[in-house]
Amino acid sequence: MVQSSAELRRFADADTLARTIAGEIAVRLTRACADRGRAALVVSGGRSPVRLFEELRRQPLDWSRLFITLADERWLDASAAASNERLVREALLRGKAAAARFVGLKNPASSARIGAATSWEALASVPRPFDVTLLGMGDDGHTASLFPGSPGLGEALEASVPAGCVAMWSRSAPHERVSLNMSALLESRHISILILGEEKLAVYERARSPGPAEEMPVRGILRQSRVPVQVIWAPAKSAGCDLVVPAPNRTEPPTDSQAKCAPVEAGRLLKIVDVDVSEELHEGCRSRREWRANFAHGPGPRRSLGHIARSRD
């Protein structure tokens, strides 16, 4: 194994992880506000952090003193279903948490390559070092949007280059991305990498093995010793329930067992897996019948059966 300073923390289930880590993040941000008058949180998109965002937004923080930004973003309008900004606004920046100052990465430039410098300039208002950076990890070992095989990846992973935003692209990602480079990610006081499920745990173990960072970019985070890093993991199943959600506007409702495993709260955000979009479900959808009444005849095109998918990062 290649030496890694990261600490692996295992949790019994995703709910326990979300509650525990949300509380710890809140403590770090509160201390930062007490020490420096304000605090900065960097987050990633994807399905994995949604439950954590739900817990974090309930924390008793002075949200008006917090800055929140993204580790990466798809080069899409903020209103687009696959936008990380939209996900954060819907899952985290609600209620009292809406008072936080959010700084997005997307700008009007026609491409991430053209707009990356402006994205970084927008972050000038965000305090650095970032107090907490919450990252994920893909099945290919990418973190933020630092994808294996992306043009410019080698330079983006160099910790010696100036901090900034870079344009990234991958065959596995349908949209052009903008991402903080490794230098920018390491301008943090603490980094957490959130992973769920046995498959992701196996990817993490591979990332700890010998090999170039270009092959698995998360190695750039795991192998450095400048910033404390923890990898937080929980099973992808809880109480016999797969982490699955129904897609709205589709004809197949969830099974009764799925509805029991994850009863829908009013306005709770769920991520639609197979089309990579997010929707807020209507109040009261706690059974197959209620789901059918609210969604089977909703707006949008009718779809075929079988579009309930296992959640992946």
Side-chain angles (χ1 to χ4, degrees):
M1 290 289 179
V2 174
Q3 183 66 34
S4 171
S5 60
E7 173 194 10
L8 175 62
R9 298 175 63 188
R10 300 171 185 254
F11 292 85
D13 54 69
D15 284 343
T16 302
L17 182 154
R19 288 192 299 270
T20 303
I21 299 302
E24 293 177 2
I25 290 175
V27 168
R28 291 183 185 277
L29 297 177
T30 298
R31 287 175 179 169
C33 287
D35 293 343
R36 295 177 289 278
R38 53 187 189 164
L41 170 65
V42 178
V43 298
S44 293
R47 288 159 290 280
S48 297
V50 170
R51 183 73 185 90
L52 175 53
F53 289 165
E54 292 175 337
E55 288 292 334
L56 184 57
R57 74 182 186 223
R58 300 185 180 103
Q59 298 296 314
L61 290 160
D62 185 350
W63 290 96
S64 65
R65 298 166 71 183
L66 301 185
F67 290 77
I68 299 176
T69 190
L70 295 163
D72 64 311
E73 178 63 282
R74 296 170 179 86
W75 206 253
L76 300 169
D77 290 340
S79 61
S83 164
N84 285 344
E85 177 173 339
R86 175 177 168 176
L87 173 69
V88 170
R89 289 189 181 279
E90 293 180 344
L92 176 57
L93 301 178
R94 296 172 58 189
K96 293 182 179 180
R101 283 174 273 189
F102 179 80
V103 180
L105 298 182
K106 176 64 170 63
N107 57 61
S110 60
S111 69
R113 181 181 60 83
I114 295 172
T118 303
S119 298
W120 181 245
E121 290 170 2
L123 296 186
S125 63
V126 180
R128 295 203 304 273
F130 308 121
D131 293 288
V132 177
T133 295
L134 178 65
L135 300 174
M137 182 189 68
D139 293 336
D140 58 359
H142 81 264
T143 193
S145 278
L146 301 176
F147 287 97
S150 178
L153 177 65
E155 183 177 359
L157 291 175
E158 283 289 338
S160 60
V161 305
C165 289
V166 292
M168 288 279 116
W169 175 87
S170 171
R171 292 179 182 175
S172 65
H175 303 290
E176 189 182 15
R177 310 284 185 110
V178 63
S179 178
L180 300 188
N181 63 10
M182 187 59 62
S183 292
L185 292 172
L186 294 181
E187 284 197 6
S188 304
R189 289 187 166 89
H190 190 271
I191 296 175
S192 293
I193 300 175
L194 170 61
I195 58 175
L196 299 175
E198 295 294 337
E199 292 181 3
K200 287 292 181 71
L201 188 60
V203 174
Y204 166 66
E205 292 298 338
R206 290 202 306 273
R208 295 179 63 231
S209 66
E214 289 82 359
E215 181 182 281
M216 301 184 78
V218 72
R219 286 172 172 156
I221 300 290
L222 298 175
R223 292 176 180 175
Q224 57 80 39
S225 57
R226 180 170 129 197
V227 183
V229 177
Q230 65 173 358
V231 177
I232 48 180
W233 175 87
K237 294 183 180 181
S238 179
C241 176
D242 286 346
L243 295 177
V244 295
V245 296
N249 306 329
R250 293 182 177 179
T251 58
E252 180 68 12
T255 65
D256 290 331
S257 64
Q258 287 164 351
K260 276 185 194 176
C261 286
V264 179
E265 301 169 1
R268 179 178 175 185
L269 180 103
L270 293 180
K271 192 73 173 178
I272 308 309
V273 174
D274 57 335
V275 292
D276 196 25
V277 299
S278 57
E279 298 288 346
E280 289 186 13
L281 302 185
H282 296 301
E283 181 175 3
C285 297
R286 298 179 182 272
S287 70
R288 291 168 61 88
R289 179 178 298 173
E290 290 170 317
W291 184 92
R292 184 180 291 110
N294 276 302
F295 294 105
H297 303 292
R302 301 280 293 193
R303 304 295 179 93
S304 61
L305 300 179
H307 287 283
I308 296 176
R310 186 180 303 275
S311 178
R312 296 180 297 176
D313 178 63

